[in-house]
Amino acid sequence: MTPADDLRRSELVTSLGALRGRIAGACAAVGRQASSVTLIAVTKTYPADDVATLAELGVLDLGESKDQEARAKISDLASGAYPPFALRWHMVGRLQTNKARSVVSYAHAVHSVDRPKLVTALAEAAAAEQRARPVEVFVQVSLDGDPQRGGAIVDEMPALADAVAGRPELILRGVMAVAPLQGDPEAAFGDLAAVSADLRRQHPQADAISAGMSHDLEQAIAHGATHLRIGTALLGRRPPILG
Ligand SMILES: *Cc1c(COP(=O)(O)O)cnc(C)c1O
């Protein structure tokens, strides 16, 4: 290991320790077990070296928002320079249907399913790919109705959920949302919890809630989040242009 590697590793050890502390504190505050929350490290803009370090530290759920970047990183990790980690990749960014085949070739879960065409594309791609396991799907809800940021509006949720549940290549896990840029994340995650409760009336096993990022994980945990998507608090600030 070079001194630079050592420094980066100790940064990640420190930020992971602080993050685990925040998660444990937020869970304790509302009487939840920390083990009821899955930490997904969103590694977009950060290199395969960071993924390998996090994996060594026990973080095996990784998130990416762009297919091309995810593919490049996974191929770096398979290059022979790293031990083989049993990673679970989560696609968290907006997805075009023409990327479905690529994404299902590596993804454990897709968190950004927001339209019936994407459900069909993912299911057909998963069938063509002959996956051993179905793709886990979170249906993304738009909490402020802003189409720019992705997500289906609440009224579209039942049909979208039924579409996912109707495909054997997919498993409906639950709901996902990004808190609106404006406004109180507390209120947004309260709304999301209500959408999740509605969904579970039709699909009782779809009980996962993917919510909570670096700045709002406490509010998300208070409202039942089961999957946190954390970038900045773990890896550091991203250059704004790469978002
Ligand atoms: C980048 C990203 C995250 C992580 O955000 P941070 O604020 O860096 O923790 C979570 N979810 C989605 C959909 C993202 O694109």
Side-chain angles (χ1 to χ4, degrees):
M1 238 193 254
T2 67
D5 291 339
D6 250 356
L7 180 60
R8 181 58 172 156
R9 187 186 166 83
S10 67
E11 276 175 8
L12 290 173
V13 167
T14 302
S15 60
L16 180 60
L19 179 60
R20 293 241 187 256
R22 277 178 72 189
I23 295 170
C27 285
V30 294
R32 295 183 56 188
Q33 299 286 335
S35 61
S36 68
V37 174
T38 299
L39 168 62
I40 300 168
V42 179
T43 49
K44 64 189 180 195
T45 78
Y46 288 97
D49 278 349
D50 283 350
V51 174
T53 303
L54 288 170
E56 279 167 23
L57 298 173
V59 180
L60 297 176
D61 288 276
L62 288 311
E64 287 287 336
S65 61
K66 295 198 172 102
D67 170 60
Q68 202 178 355
E69 184 183 345
R71 281 188 81 97
K73 222 166 280 183
I74 290 164
S75 117
D76 285 351
L77 287 161
S79 67
Y82 302 98
F85 299 111
L87 303 177
R88 290 177 292 270
W89 290 98
H90 298 253
M91 175 50 63
V92 302
R94 297 198 74 182
L95 196 55
Q96 292 174 288
T97 50
N98 63 6
K99 298 284 166 59
R101 184 73 193 261
S102 172
V103 167
V104 303
S105 73
Y106 58 79
H108 172 79
V110 180
H111 291 236
S112 43
V113 174
D114 61 358
R115 56 202 191 280
K117 267 178 91 165
L118 185 55
V119 174
T120 308
L122 287 169
E124 287 175 357
E129 200 64 27
Q130 302 190 298
R131 289 173 53 106
R133 292 189 74 257
V135 182
E136 298 197 357
V137 166
F138 292 76
V139 282
Q140 184 178 351
V141 195
S142 169
L143 295 173
D144 58 0
D146 178 357
Q148 284 302 105
R149 310 191 64 220
I153 60 170
V154 171
D155 289 352
E156 296 169 336
M157 292 300 285
L160 195 55
D162 289 348
V164 175
R167 299 297 310 226
E169 303 89 351
L170 309 176
I171 296 180
L172 179 64
R173 288 288 279 118
V175 295
M176 178 275 212
V178 179
L181 287 175
Q182 308 294 329
D184 180 8
E186 190 83 46
F189 293 141
D191 291 347
L192 182 63
V195 174
S196 168
D198 273 348
L199 176 70
R200 277 176 284 145
R201 273 190 270 282
Q202 295 304 318
H203 303 280
Q205 76 298 341
D207 58 358
I209 300 178
S210 168
M213 299 169 39
S214 294
H215 62 285
D216 57 19
L217 70 89
E218 284 84 1
Q219 290 94 332
I221 286 173
H223 288 283
T226 60
H227 291 69
L228 306 176
R229 308 180 312 270
I230 308 295
T232 315
L234 195 49
L235 291 128
R237 279 191 162 288
R238 295 177 294 272
I241 191 154
L242 295 169

